[in-house]
Amino acid sequence: ELPPSEFMQVADSTWLVLSVVSNGRAPSGSQATGVTKIARSVIAPLAEHHVSVLMLSTYQTDFILVRERDLPVVIHTLAGEFDIYKEESGECVPVTCDDASNGFLKDKPATSPTLHPVQSPQTRFCILTVAPDTLPAIATMLIDVLFYSHSPPREAGASSQDLDSITFFAFSLIEGYISIVMDAETQKRFPSDLLLTSSTGELWRMVRIGGQPLGFDECGIVAQIAEPLAAADISAYYISTFNFDHALVPEEGIAEVIQLLQQRQDSGR
């Protein structure tokens, strides 16, 4: 039971998971990966049709969560660009616009999305995976990091100048595939031979979106980040949470990312 001073807020919606699988139709010239790879084809169109999304990037792929009630709009929006399938009893079954026509929502009047403030802590992050059979070997360390090693949270109104570091640790286990995001200092606490990363072993910097809890109703937050980065062909690893959205970009590109996002902020005023 939660103490009287605390409460749990639950979104009154059922969310469905979309994953984009390349089938050779995507342009071959683009080098961007992560959320920016689908910025123009998925993220921007859904934002234009007022569909709120939650993004979850993993080491292996990206997942987009949409409300079940928005599924007709999602299908109508994306059917021209993608072949859409749904999973039934373990089989992938094609979905057409006609299948979702009942209850299709008409476009809402165009409105300008809110441009949320962006902060960039100095913390350097690693994006890792681990073989499932070696998970028991790091289980004790995972529990310690997840539940006992957090520093007190900073106030939500802290300015970017005060945001020297940030406590952030993400662990996901999806269909047997493990994905971990941790800061470079925390990584040193784990056995180096069990944590796997890309061959380049690159480090990532974060841009954090939002000055107050974002909730689940607003649309266009992911697009605010993904579109300018896609235009600059910059990869991004993206994780939505209730309070903030987080985009991780290669460390060497952080200065360009901040400049691009600042220009978007200035043009939106």
Side-chain angles (χ1 to χ4, degrees):
E1 183 176 343
L2 294 173
S5 60
E6 300 181 19
F7 64 94
M8 180 181 296
Q9 186 167 349
V10 180
D12 186 22
S13 301
T14 300
W15 295 74
L16 302 176
V17 179
L18 308 178
S19 60
V20 180
V21 180
S22 176
N23 60 359
R25 294 170 58 183
S28 59
S30 176
Q31 298 300 313
T33 58
V35 67
T36 52
K37 188 175 182 179
I38 55 174
R40 296 187 184 92
S41 58
V42 179
I43 300 302
L46 292 182
E48 290 170 2
H49 286 80
H50 304 273
V51 175
S52 179
V53 304
L54 297 177
M55 280 296 308
L56 176 61
S57 294
T58 71
Y59 184 88
Q60 291 81 15
T61 188
D62 297 279
F63 297 97
I64 309 157
L65 282 79
V66 298
R67 287 186 174 95
E68 186 174 28
R69 67 171 182 257
D70 287 334
L71 186 59
V73 183
V74 172
I75 292 174
H76 276 260
T77 302
L78 302 180
E81 182 78 16
F82 296 94
D83 298 323
I84 302 177
Y85 298 85
K86 61 182 176 180
E87 186 174 315
E88 290 185 352
S89 303
E91 299 290 333
C92 289
V93 180
V95 176
T96 66
C97 286
D98 293 338
D99 295 333
S101 60
N102 184 26
F104 174 62
L105 304 176
K106 294 182 180 180
D107 291 349
K108 299 176 183 177
T111 57
S112 299
T114 302
L115 289 179
H116 292 278
V118 173
Q119 301 168 325
S120 179
Q122 297 299 311
T123 310
R124 303 156 82 210
F125 292 93
C126 311
I127 299 174
L128 309 154
T129 188
V130 61
D133 59 349
T134 64
L135 187 59
I138 63 171
T140 301
M141 184 61 67
L142 276 174
I143 292 172
D144 182 65
V145 172
L146 282 169
F147 298 107
Y148 300 107
S149 299
H150 290 177
S151 60
R154 292 175 176 269
E155 295 182 5
S159 67
S160 57
Q161 289 80 7
D162 297 330
L163 201 64
D164 295 329
S165 63
I166 184 174
T167 301
F168 188 93
F169 187 94
F171 175 91
S172 62
L173 173 59
I174 302 174
E175 295 185 335
Y177 293 101
I178 298 169
S179 183
I180 307 173
V181 178
M182 67 177 77
D183 63 81
E185 288 302 310
T186 300
Q187 183 193 13
K188 295 176 182 177
R189 299 170 58 182
F190 288 83
S192 59
D193 58 329
L194 297 183
L195 299 179
L196 309 175
T197 188
S198 64
S199 58
T200 58
E202 62 187 341
L203 293 173
W204 300 70
R205 289 277 300 278
M206 176 184 288
V207 289
R208 188 174 73 169
I209 306 97
Q212 58 185 357
L214 299 173
F216 300 124
D217 295 321
E218 194 172 337
C219 63
I221 301 172
V222 181
Q224 174 186 342
I225 299 294
E227 288 185 289
L229 298 192
D233 204 28
I234 297 174
S235 300
Y237 184 105
Y238 201 100
I239 297 178
S240 300
T241 68
F242 180 82
N243 289 316
F244 297 97
D245 278 17
H246 308 82
L248 290 131
V249 299
E251 183 178 31
E252 65 273 11
I254 187 64
E256 182 181 2
V257 168
I258 296 301
Q259 182 180 14
L260 288 169
L261 297 179
Q262 187 61 54
Q263 290 173 350
R264 187 177 178 92
Q265 292 271 358
D266 293 341
S267 63
R269 292 194 178 108

